[in-house]
């Protein structure tokens, strides 16, 4: 029998609800973005984000049901992000999902936002099944993960300082491109050449570091504001991508895995995608979600929640938001 999962996501500045059938087929994925509101502050203001989630959540859920053509009673279970993220923002989605779960008597699935980003790949690639490697690159996270099965994850490496998206956003802000910086750096880099030398960090293990590269770009710009911004963006992307690819390949060789997936907001970066795709010539299979599923959305939460529900991993009404939730918690 078909299983319909309602996904709810509110961990940062997107309020989203989705209906996903059998974990992989998206019937609706409504995303209400607050980017316009936070843009004037140069980043997400947590209190403002929470208030806007409260305003949007009910409308977004109703809209998702309407687009899917599914009555609320037909939903089998409710998956909601309970961490990691901004505590006030998370609480809006968690509280709403708990209310629905109680009033409709439907099971509640506590879903990890990062597992959601990884699961976005199941929606875009119907044939993808664990085991595989996943590079999760977003505004808050940079993790190289071994996906052993649908609910078992091993972290192989992570950033010791800035997340990749954070570095993109900071570089963009300092050189005057605005917020959110990732897509703006992506666009401008296409007009430049990677002709500026930047330092690359290397560790003995599979960890990453991006604050040195970021600071070098910022210092170059401050010392000489005439330095071509497009060249700076292009050089920054090149060094960051080299670091991402080097560690991913080291892990792939060590574990003898040839399936590599990208996930998270930064995985919509066109240069990063292009460079990873080149690995196909070396026999690797490369996966990434379509752009709308890379950034925060509820369809990925519903997909991850569905696989968790197959193992009976539900929550009761004592579920709380966990802002620092880890991949393996
Ligand atoms: O996954 P996401 O929506 O939120 C988190 O869970 O963090 O990722 C947002 C991040 C931001 O840092 C944004 O600048 C970055 O993803 N991003 C990009 C691109 N699109 C979004 N970074 C580089 N290139 C892009 N095209
Ligand atoms: Zn995210």
């Amino acid at each position: 029998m078909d299983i319909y999962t309602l996904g709810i996501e509110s961990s940062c500045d997107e309020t989203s609800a989705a209906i996903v059938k059998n974990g992989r087929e998206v019937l609706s994925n409504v995303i209400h973005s607050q980017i316009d509101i936070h843009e004037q502050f140069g980043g997400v203001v947590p209190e403002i984000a929470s208030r806007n989630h409260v305003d949007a959540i009910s409308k977004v859920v109703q809209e998702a049901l309407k687009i899917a053509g599914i009555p609320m009673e037909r939903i089998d279970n409710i998956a909601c992000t309970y961490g990691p993220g901004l505590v006030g923002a998370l609480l809006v989605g968690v509280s709403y999902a708990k209310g629905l779960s109680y009033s409709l008597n439907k099971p509640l699935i506590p879903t990890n936002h990062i597992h959601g980003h990884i699961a976005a790949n199941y929606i875009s690639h119907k044939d993808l099944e664990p085991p595989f490697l996943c590079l999760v690159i977003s505004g808050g996270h940079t993790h190289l993960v071994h996906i052993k099965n649908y609910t078992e994850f091993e972290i192989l490496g992570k950033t010791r300082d800035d997340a990749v998206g954070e570095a993109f956003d900071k570089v963009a802000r300092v050189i005057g491109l605005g917020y959110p910086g990732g897509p703006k750096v992506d666009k401008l880099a296409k007009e430049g050449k990677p002709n500026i030398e930047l330092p690359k960090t290397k560790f003995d293990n599979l960890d990453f570091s991006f604050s040195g590269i970021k600071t070098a770009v910022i210092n170059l710009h401050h010392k000489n504001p005439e330095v071509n911004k497009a060249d700076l963006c292009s050089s920054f992307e090149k060094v960051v991508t080299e670091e991402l690819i080097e560690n991913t390949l080291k892990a792939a060789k060590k574990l003898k895995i040839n399936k590599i997936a990208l996930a998270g907001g930064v995985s919509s970066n066109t240069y990063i995608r292009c460079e990873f795709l080149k690995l196909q010539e070396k026999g690797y299979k490369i996966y990434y979600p379509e752009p709308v599923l890379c950034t925060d959305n509820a369809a990925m939460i519903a997909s991850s929640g569905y696989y968790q529900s197959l193992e009976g991993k539900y929550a009761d009404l004592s579920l709380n938001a966990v802002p620092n939730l880890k991949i393996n918690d």
Side-chain angles (χ1 to χ4, degrees), residues 172-250:
R173 187 161 63 210
V174 171
I175 66 173
L177 301 182
Y179 169 86
K184 291 177 176 151
V185 171
D186 188 351
K187 196 163 165 231
L188 189 57
K190 290 195 175 84
E191 295 166 24
K193 289 194 184 67
N195 53 11
I196 299 170
E197 205 167 311
L198 295 168
K200 199 159 66 184
T201 318
K202 263 192 188 163
F203 297 114
D204 289 340
N205 63 8
L206 297 171
D207 281 350
F208 303 93
S209 163
F210 299 104
S211 85
I213 305 168
K214 172 201 72 184
T215 308
V217 173
I218 294 172
N219 286 345
L220 271 169
H221 173 74
H222 280 156
K223 267 192 215 139
N224 179 9
E226 302 303 313
V227 172
N228 186 292
K229 289 182 186 174
D231 291 345
L232 260 186
C233 289
S234 172
S235 309
F236 169 76
E237 274 191 352
K238 182 168 179 279
V239 178
V240 165
T241 308
E242 279 170 8
E243 191 169 326
L244 293 172
I245 289 185
E246 274 169 28
N247 278 8
T248 308
L249 281 186
K250 257 195 246 167

Coordinates of all heavy atoms in Angstrom, one line a residue, residues 172-250:
A172 N 31.2 36.8 -0.1 CA 30.3 37.6 -0.9 C 30.0 38.9 -0.1 O 30.0 40.0 -0.8 CB 29.0 36.8 -1.1
R173 N 29.8 38.8 1.2 CA 29.5 40.0 1.9 C 30.6 41.0 1.9 O 30.4 42.2 1.6 CB 29.1 39.6 3.4 CG 28.6 40.8 4.2 CD 27.9 40.4 5.4 NE 28.7 39.8 6.3 CZ 28.4 38.8 7.2 NH1 27.1 38.4 7.2 NH2 29.2 38.3 8.0
V174 N 31.8 40.5 2.1 CA 33.0 41.5 2.2 C 33.2 42.1 0.8 O 33.5 43.3 0.8 CB 34.2 40.7 2.7 CG1 35.5 41.6 2.6 CG2 34.0 40.3 4.1
I175 N 33.1 41.4 -0.3 CA 33.4 42.0 -1.6 C 32.1 42.8 -2.1 O 32.1 43.2 -3.3 CB 34.0 41.1 -2.6 CG1 33.0 40.0 -3.0 CG2 35.3 40.5 -2.0 CD1 33.6 39.1 -4.1
G176 N 31.1 42.8 -1.3 CA 29.9 43.6 -1.7 C 28.9 43.0 -2.6 O 28.2 43.7 -3.3
L177 N 28.8 41.7 -2.5 CA 27.8 41.0 -3.4 C 26.4 40.8 -2.7 O 25.4 40.6 -3.4 CB 28.3 39.6 -3.9 CG 29.6 39.6 -4.7 CD1 29.9 38.2 -5.1 CD2 29.5 40.5 -5.9
G178 N 26.4 40.9 -1.4 CA 25.1 40.8 -0.7 C 24.8 39.4 -0.2 O 25.7 38.5 -0.3
Y179 N 23.6 39.2 0.3 CA 23.2 37.9 0.9 C 22.0 37.3 0.2 O 21.1 38.1 -0.2 CB 22.8 38.2 2.4 CG 22.2 37.0 3.1 CD1 22.9 36.0 3.7 CD2 20.8 36.9 3.1 CE1 22.3 34.9 4.3 CE2 20.2 35.8 3.7 CZ 20.9 34.9 4.3 OH 20.3 33.8 4.9
P180 N 21.9 36.0 0.1 CA 22.9 35.0 0.4 C 23.9 35.0 -0.7 O 23.6 35.1 -1.9 CB 22.1 33.7 0.4 CG 20.9 34.0 -0.5 CD 20.6 35.4 -0.5
G181 N 25.2 34.8 -0.2 CA 26.3 35.0 -1.1 C 26.6 33.9 -2.1 O 27.1 34.2 -3.2
G182 N 26.3 32.7 -1.7 CA 26.7 31.5 -2.6 C 26.3 31.7 -4.0 O 27.1 31.7 -4.9
P183 N 25.0 31.9 -4.3 CA 24.6 32.0 -5.7 C 25.2 33.2 -6.4 O 25.5 33.1 -7.6 CB 23.0 32.2 -5.6 CG 22.7 31.7 -4.3 CD 23.8 31.9 -3.4
K184 N 25.5 34.2 -5.7 CA 26.1 35.4 -6.3 C 27.6 35.2 -6.7 O 28.0 35.6 -7.7 CB 25.9 36.6 -5.4 CG 24.5 37.0 -5.3 CD 24.2 38.1 -4.4 CE 22.7 38.5 -4.5 NZ 22.1 39.0 -3.3
V185 N 28.3 34.5 -5.8 CA 29.7 34.1 -6.1 C 29.7 33.2 -7.3 O 30.5 33.3 -8.2 CB 30.4 33.5 -4.9 CG1 31.7 32.9 -5.2 CG2 30.5 34.5 -3.7
D186 N 28.8 32.2 -7.3 CA 28.6 31.3 -8.4 C 28.5 32.0 -9.7 O 29.3 31.7 -10.7 CB 27.4 30.4 -8.1 CG 27.2 29.2 -9.0 OD1 28.0 29.1 -10.0 OD2 26.3 28.4 -8.8
K187 N 27.6 33.0 -9.8 CA 27.4 33.7 -11.0 C 28.6 34.5 -11.5 O 29.0 34.5 -12.6 CB 26.2 34.6 -10.8 CG 25.5 35.1 -12.0 CD 24.1 35.6 -11.7 CE 23.7 36.5 -12.9 NZ 23.2 37.8 -12.5
L188 N 29.1 35.3 -10.5 CA 30.2 36.2 -10.9 C 31.5 35.4 -11.3 O 32.3 35.8 -12.1 CB 30.5 37.1 -9.7 CG 31.5 38.3 -9.9 CD1 31.1 39.2 -11.1 CD2 31.7 39.1 -8.7
A189 N 31.7 34.3 -10.6 CA 32.9 33.5 -10.9 C 33.0 33.0 -12.3 O 34.1 32.9 -12.9 CB 32.9 32.2 -10.0
K190 N 31.8 32.9 -13.0 CA 31.8 32.5 -14.4 C 32.4 33.5 -15.3 O 32.8 33.2 -16.4 CB 30.3 32.3 -14.8 CG 29.7 31.0 -14.2 CD 28.4 30.7 -14.9 CE 27.8 29.4 -14.4 NZ 27.0 29.6 -13.3
E191 N 32.5 34.8 -14.8 CA 33.0 35.8 -15.7 C 34.5 36.0 -15.4 O 35.2 36.9 -16.0 CB 32.3 37.2 -15.4 CG 30.9 37.2 -15.7 CD 30.1 38.4 -15.1 OE1 30.8 39.4 -14.8 OE2 28.9 38.3 -15.0
G192 N 35.1 35.3 -14.4 CA 36.5 35.5 -14.0 C 37.4 34.3 -14.4 O 36.9 33.3 -14.9
K193 N 38.6 34.4 -14.0 CA 39.6 33.4 -14.2 C 40.2 33.0 -12.9 O 40.5 33.9 -12.1 CB 40.7 33.8 -15.2 CG 40.3 34.0 -16.6 CD 41.5 34.2 -17.5 CE 41.1 34.4 -18.9 NZ 40.4 35.7 -19.1
P194 N 40.5 31.7 -12.7 CA 41.1 31.3 -11.4 C 42.6 31.6 -11.3 O 43.4 30.7 -11.1 CB 40.8 29.8 -11.3 CG 40.8 29.4 -12.8 CD 40.3 30.6 -13.6
N195 N 43.0 32.9 -11.5 CA 44.4 33.2 -11.7 C 45.0 33.8 -10.4 O 46.1 34.3 -10.4 CB 44.6 34.2 -12.8 CG 43.7 35.4 -12.7 OD1 43.1 35.6 -11.7 ND2 43.6 36.2 -13.8
I196 N 44.3 33.7 -9.3 CA 44.9 34.3 -8.0 C 45.2 33.1 -7.1 O 44.3 32.2 -6.8 CB 43.9 35.2 -7.3 CG1 43.6 36.4 -8.3 CG2 44.4 35.7 -6.0 CD1 42.4 37.3 -7.9
E197 N 46.4 33.1 -6.6 CA 46.8 32.0 -5.8 C 46.3 32.1 -4.3 O 46.4 33.2 -3.7 CB 48.4 31.9 -5.7 CG 48.8 30.5 -5.4 CD 50.3 30.3 -5.7 OE1 50.7 30.7 -6.8 OE2 50.9 29.8 -4.8
L198 N 45.7 31.1 -3.8 CA 45.1 31.1 -2.5 C 45.6 29.9 -1.7 O 45.9 28.8 -2.3 CB 43.6 31.1 -2.6 CG 42.9 32.3 -3.2 CD1 41.4 32.1 -3.5 CD2 43.1 33.6 -2.3
P199 N 45.7 30.0 -0.4 CA 46.2 28.9 0.4 C 45.2 27.7 0.5 O 44.0 28.0 0.6 CB 46.5 29.5 1.8 CG 45.5 30.6 1.9 CD 45.3 31.1 0.5
K200 N 45.7 26.5 0.5 CA 44.8 25.4 0.6 C 45.2 24.6 1.9 O 46.4 24.5 2.2 CB 44.9 24.4 -0.6 CG 43.8 23.5 -0.7 CD 43.6 23.0 -2.1 CE 44.8 22.1 -2.5 NZ 44.7 21.6 -3.9
T201 N 44.2 24.2 2.7 CA 44.6 23.5 4.0 C 44.5 22.0 3.7 O 43.6 21.5 3.1 CB 43.6 23.9 5.1 OG1 43.3 25.3 5.0 CG2 44.1 23.6 6.4
K202 N 45.5 21.3 4.3 CA 45.5 19.9 4.2 C 45.7 19.3 5.6 O 46.5 19.7 6.4 CB 46.6 19.4 3.3 CG 46.2 19.2 1.9 CD 47.3 18.5 1.2 CE 46.9 18.4 -0.3 NZ 48.0 18.1 -1.2
F203 N 44.9 18.2 5.9 CA 45.1 17.5 7.2 C 45.5 16.1 6.9 O 45.2 15.6 5.8 CB 43.8 17.6 8.0 CG 43.4 19.0 8.4 CD1 42.3 19.5 8.0 CD2 44.2 19.7 9.3 CE1 41.9 20.8 8.3 CE2 43.9 21.0 9.7 CZ 42.7 21.5 9.2
D204 N 46.0 15.4 7.9 CA 46.3 13.9 7.7 C 45.0 13.1 7.5 O 45.0 12.1 6.9 CB 47.1 13.4 8.9 CG 48.5 14.0 8.9 OD1 48.9 14.5 7.8 OD2 49.2 14.0 9.9
N205 N 44.0 13.6 8.2 CA 42.7 12.8 8.1 C 41.8 13.5 7.0 O 42.3 14.2 6.2 CB 42.0 12.7 9.5 CG 41.6 14.1 10.0 OD1 41.7 15.1 9.3 ND2 41.2 14.1 11.2
L206 N 40.5 13.2 7.1 CA 39.6 13.7 6.0 C 38.9 15.0 6.4 O 37.8 15.3 5.9 CB 38.6 12.6 5.6 CG 39.3 11.3 5.1 CD1 38.2 10.2 4.9 CD2 39.9 11.6 3.7
D207 N 39.4 15.7 7.4 CA 38.8 17.0 7.8 C 39.1 18.1 6.8 O 40.0 18.0 6.0 CB 39.3 17.4 9.2 CG 38.6 16.6 10.3 OD1 37.7 15.9 10.0 OD2 39.1 16.8 11.4
F208 N 38.2 19.1 6.9 CA 38.3 20.3 6.0 C 38.6 21.5 6.8 O 38.3 21.6 8.0 CB 37.0 20.5 5.2 CG 36.6 19.3 4.4 CD1 35.7 18.4 5.0 CD2 37.0 19.2 3.1 CE1 35.2 17.3 4.2 CE2 36.5 18.1 2.3 CZ 35.6 17.2 2.9
S209 N 39.1 22.6 6.1 CA 39.1 23.9 6.8 C 39.0 24.9 5.7 O 39.6 24.8 4.6 CB 40.5 24.1 7.4 OG 40.7 25.5 7.6
F210 N 38.1 25.9 5.9 CA 37.9 26.9 4.9 C 38.1 28.3 5.3 O 38.0 29.3 4.6 CB 36.4 26.8 4.3 CG 36.2 25.5 3.7 CD1 35.5 24.5 4.3 CD2 36.8 25.2 2.4 CE1 35.3 23.2 3.7 CE2 36.6 23.9 1.9 CZ 35.9 22.9 2.5
S211 N 38.4 28.5 6.6 CA 38.6 29.9 7.1 C 39.8 30.5 6.6 O 39.9 31.7 6.3 CB 38.5 29.9 8.6 OG 39.8 29.7 9.2
G212 N 40.9 29.7 6.3 CA 42.2 30.3 5.8 C 41.9 30.8 4.4 O 42.4 31.9 4.0
I213 N 41.2 30.1 3.6 CA 41.0 30.5 2.2 C 40.1 31.7 2.2 O 40.4 32.7 1.5 CB 40.2 29.4 1.4 CG1 41.0 28.1 1.5 CG2 39.9 29.8 0.0 CD1 40.2 26.9 1.0
K214 N 39.1 31.7 3.0 CA 38.2 32.8 3.1 C 38.9 34.1 3.6 O 38.8 35.2 3.0 CB 37.1 32.5 4.2 CG 36.2 33.6 4.5 CD 35.5 33.4 5.9 CE 36.5 33.6 7.0 NZ 35.9 33.2 8.3
T215 N 39.7 34.0 4.6 CA 40.5 35.1 5.1 C 41.4 35.7 4.1 O 41.6 36.9 3.9 CB 41.2 34.8 6.4 OG1 40.3 34.2 7.3 CG2 41.9 36.0 7.1
A216 N 42.1 34.8 3.3 CA 43.0 35.2 2.3 C 42.3 36.1 1.2 O 42.8 37.1 0.8 CB 43.7 34.0 1.6
V217 N 41.1 35.6 0.8 CA 40.3 36.4 -0.2 C 39.9 37.7 0.4 O 40.1 38.8 -0.3 CB 39.0 35.6 -0.5 CG1 38.1 36.5 -1.4 CG2 39.3 34.3 -1.2
I218 N 39.5 37.7 1.7 CA 39.0 39.0 2.3 C 40.2 40.0 2.4 O 40.1 41.1 2.1 CB 38.4 38.7 3.7 CG1 37.1 37.9 3.4 CG2 38.1 40.0 4.5 CD1 36.4 37.4 4.7
N219 N 41.4 39.4 2.8 CA 42.6 40.3 3.0 C 43.0 40.9 1.6 O 43.4 42.0 1.5 CB 43.8 39.5 3.6 CG 43.6 39.2 5.1 OD1 42.7 39.9 5.7 ND2 44.3 38.3 5.6
L220 N 43.0 40.0 0.6 CA 43.4 40.5 -0.7 C 42.5 41.7 -1.2 O 42.9 42.7 -1.7 CB 43.2 39.4 -1.8 CG 44.4 38.5 -2.0 CD1 44.0 37.2 -2.8 CD2 45.5 39.3 -2.7
H221 N 41.2 41.5 -0.9 CA 40.2 42.6 -1.3 C 40.5 43.8 -0.5 O 40.4 44.9 -1.0 CB 38.8 42.0 -1.1 CG 37.8 43.1 -1.3 ND1 37.4 43.6 -2.6 CD2 37.0 43.8 -0.4 CE1 36.5 44.5 -2.4 NE2 36.3 44.7 -1.1
H222 N 40.7 43.7 0.8 CA 40.9 44.9 1.7 C 42.2 45.6 1.3 O 42.3 46.8 1.3 CB 41.0 44.4 3.2 CG 39.6 44.3 3.7 ND1 39.4 43.5 4.8 CD2 38.4 44.7 3.3 CE1 38.1 43.5 5.1 NE2 37.5 44.2 4.2
K223 N 43.3 44.8 1.0 CA 44.6 45.4 0.6 C 44.5 46.2 -0.7 O 45.0 47.2 -0.9 CB 45.7 44.3 0.5 CG 46.4 44.2 1.8 CD 47.7 43.3 1.6 CE 47.9 42.5 2.8 NZ 48.3 41.1 2.5
N224 N 43.7 45.6 -1.6 CA 43.6 46.2 -2.9 C 42.2 46.0 -3.5 O 41.9 45.0 -4.1 CB 44.6 45.6 -3.9 CG 44.5 46.2 -5.3 OD1 43.8 47.1 -5.5 ND2 45.2 45.6 -6.2
P225 N 41.3 46.9 -3.2 CA 39.9 46.8 -3.6 C 39.7 46.7 -5.1 O 38.7 46.4 -5.6 CB 39.2 48.0 -3.0 CG 40.1 48.5 -2.0 CD 41.5 48.1 -2.4
E226 N 40.8 47.1 -5.9 CA 40.8 47.0 -7.3 C 40.9 45.6 -7.9 O 40.7 45.4 -9.1 CB 41.9 47.9 -7.9 CG 41.9 49.4 -7.5 CD 40.6 50.0 -7.9 OE1 40.1 49.9 -9.0 OE2 40.0 50.7 -7.0
V227 N 41.3 44.7 -7.0 CA 41.5 43.3 -7.5 C 40.2 42.8 -8.1 O 39.1 43.1 -7.6 CB 41.9 42.3 -6.4 CG1 41.9 40.9 -6.8 CG2 43.2 42.6 -5.8
N228 N 40.3 42.2 -9.3 CA 39.1 41.8 -10.0 C 38.2 40.8 -9.2 O 38.7 39.8 -8.9 CB 39.5 41.2 -11.4 CG 38.4 40.9 -12.2 OD1 37.6 40.0 -11.9 ND2 38.2 41.6 -13.3
K229 N 37.0 41.2 -8.9 CA 36.1 40.4 -8.1 C 35.7 39.1 -8.7 O 35.6 38.1 -8.0 CB 34.9 41.2 -7.7 CG 35.1 42.3 -6.8 CD 33.8 43.0 -6.4 CE 34.0 44.2 -5.6 NZ 32.8 45.0 -5.4
A230 N 35.6 39.1 -10.0 CA 35.2 37.9 -10.7 C 36.4 36.9 -10.6 O 36.2 35.7 -10.4 CB 34.9 38.2 -12.2
D231 N 37.6 37.4 -10.8 CA 38.8 36.5 -10.7 C 38.9 36.0 -9.2 O 39.2 34.8 -9.0 CB 40.1 37.2 -11.0 CG 40.1 37.5 -12.5 OD1 39.3 37.0 -13.3 OD2 41.0 38.4 -12.9
L232 N 38.6 36.8 -8.3 CA 38.7 36.4 -6.9 C 37.7 35.3 -6.6 O 38.0 34.2 -6.0 CB 38.3 37.6 -5.9 CG 39.4 38.3 -5.2 CD1 38.8 39.3 -4.3 CD2 40.4 37.4 -4.5
C233 N 36.4 35.5 -7.1 CA 35.4 34.4 -6.9 C 35.8 33.1 -7.6 O 35.6 32.0 -7.0 CB 34.0 34.9 -7.5 SG 33.3 36.2 -6.5
S234 N 36.3 33.2 -8.8 CA 36.7 32.1 -9.5 C 37.8 31.3 -8.8 O 37.8 30.1 -8.7 CB 37.1 32.5 -10.9 OG 37.6 31.4 -11.6
S235 N 38.8 32.1 -8.3 CA 39.9 31.4 -7.7 C 39.5 30.8 -6.3 O 39.9 29.7 -6.0 CB 41.0 32.5 -7.4 OG 41.3 33.2 -8.5
F236 N 38.6 31.5 -5.6 CA 38.1 30.9 -4.4 C 37.3 29.6 -4.6 O 37.6 28.6 -3.9 CB 37.1 32.0 -3.8 CG 36.3 31.5 -2.6 CD1 36.8 31.3 -1.4 CD2 34.9 31.2 -2.8 CE1 36.0 30.9 -0.3 CE2 34.1 30.8 -1.8 CZ 34.7 30.6 -0.5
E237 N 36.5 29.6 -5.6 CA 35.7 28.4 -5.9 C 36.6 27.2 -6.3 O 36.4 26.1 -5.9 CB 34.8 28.6 -7.1 CG 33.5 29.2 -6.7 CD 32.5 29.2 -7.9 OE1 32.9 28.9 -9.0 OE2 31.3 29.5 -7.7
K238 N 37.7 27.6 -7.1 CA 38.6 26.5 -7.5 C 39.3 25.8 -6.3 O 39.4 24.6 -6.2 CB 39.7 27.1 -8.5 CG 40.6 26.1 -9.0 CD 41.4 26.7 -10.2 CE 42.4 25.7 -10.7 NZ 43.6 25.6 -10.0
V239 N 39.9 26.7 -5.4 CA 40.6 26.1 -4.3 C 39.6 25.3 -3.4 O 40.0 24.2 -2.9 CB 41.3 27.2 -3.5 CG1 42.0 26.6 -2.3 CG2 42.3 27.9 -4.3
V240 N 38.5 25.9 -3.1 CA 37.5 25.2 -2.3 C 37.1 23.8 -2.9 O 37.1 22.8 -2.2 CB 36.2 26.0 -2.1 CG1 35.1 25.2 -1.5 CG2 36.5 27.2 -1.2
T241 N 36.9 23.8 -4.2 CA 36.5 22.6 -4.9 C 37.6 21.5 -4.9 O 37.3 20.3 -4.7 CB 36.0 22.9 -6.3 OG1 35.1 24.0 -6.3 CG2 35.4 21.7 -7.0
E242 N 38.8 22.0 -5.0 CA 40.0 21.1 -5.0 C 40.0 20.4 -3.6 O 40.2 19.2 -3.6 CB 41.3 21.8 -5.3 CG 41.5 22.0 -6.7 CD 42.7 23.0 -7.0 OE1 43.4 23.3 -6.0 OE2 42.9 23.4 -8.2
E243 N 39.8 21.1 -2.6 CA 39.9 20.6 -1.2 C 38.7 19.5 -1.1 O 38.9 18.4 -0.5 CB 39.8 21.7 -0.2 CG 40.1 21.2 1.2 CD 40.2 22.3 2.2 OE1 40.8 23.4 1.9 OE2 39.8 22.1 3.4
L244 N 37.5 19.9 -1.5 CA 36.4 19.0 -1.4 C 36.6 17.7 -2.2 O 36.4 16.6 -1.7 CB 35.1 19.7 -1.9 CG 34.6 20.8 -1.2 CD1 33.4 21.5 -1.9 CD2 34.1 20.4 0.2
I245 N 37.2 17.8 -3.4 CA 37.4 16.6 -4.2 C 38.5 15.8 -3.7 O 38.4 14.5 -3.7 CB 37.6 17.1 -5.7 CG1 36.3 17.6 -6.3 CG2 38.2 15.9 -6.5 CD1 36.4 17.9 -7.8
E246 N 39.6 16.4 -3.3 CA 40.7 15.6 -2.7 C 40.3 14.7 -1.6 O 40.6 13.5 -1.6 CB 41.8 16.5 -2.3 CG 42.8 16.9 -3.4 CD 43.7 18.0 -3.0 OE1 44.1 18.1 -1.8 OE2 44.1 18.8 -3.9
N247 N 39.6 15.2 -0.6 CA 39.1 14.4 0.5 C 38.1 13.3 0.1 O 38.1 12.2 0.6 CB 38.6 15.3 1.6 CG 39.6 15.9 2.5 OD1 40.8 15.8 2.1 ND2 39.3 16.6 3.5
T248 N 37.2 13.7 -0.8 CA 36.2 12.8 -1.2 C 36.8 11.6 -1.9 O 36.5 10.4 -1.7 CB 35.1 13.5 -2.1 OG1 34.7 14.7 -1.5 CG2 33.9 12.6 -2.4
L249 N 37.8 11.9 -2.8 CA 38.5 10.8 -3.5 C 39.3 9.9 -2.6 O 39.3 8.7 -2.7 CB 39.4 11.3 -4.6 CG 38.6 11.8 -5.9 CD1 39.7 12.2 -6.9 CD2 37.7 10.7 -6.4
K250 N 39.9 10.5 -1.6 CA 40.7 9.7 -0.6 C 39.7 8.7 0.1 O 40.1 7.6 0.3 CB 41.3 10.7 0.5 CG 42.8 10.9 0.3 CD 43.3 11.5 1.6 CE 43.7 13.0 1.4 NZ 44.0 13.7 2.7

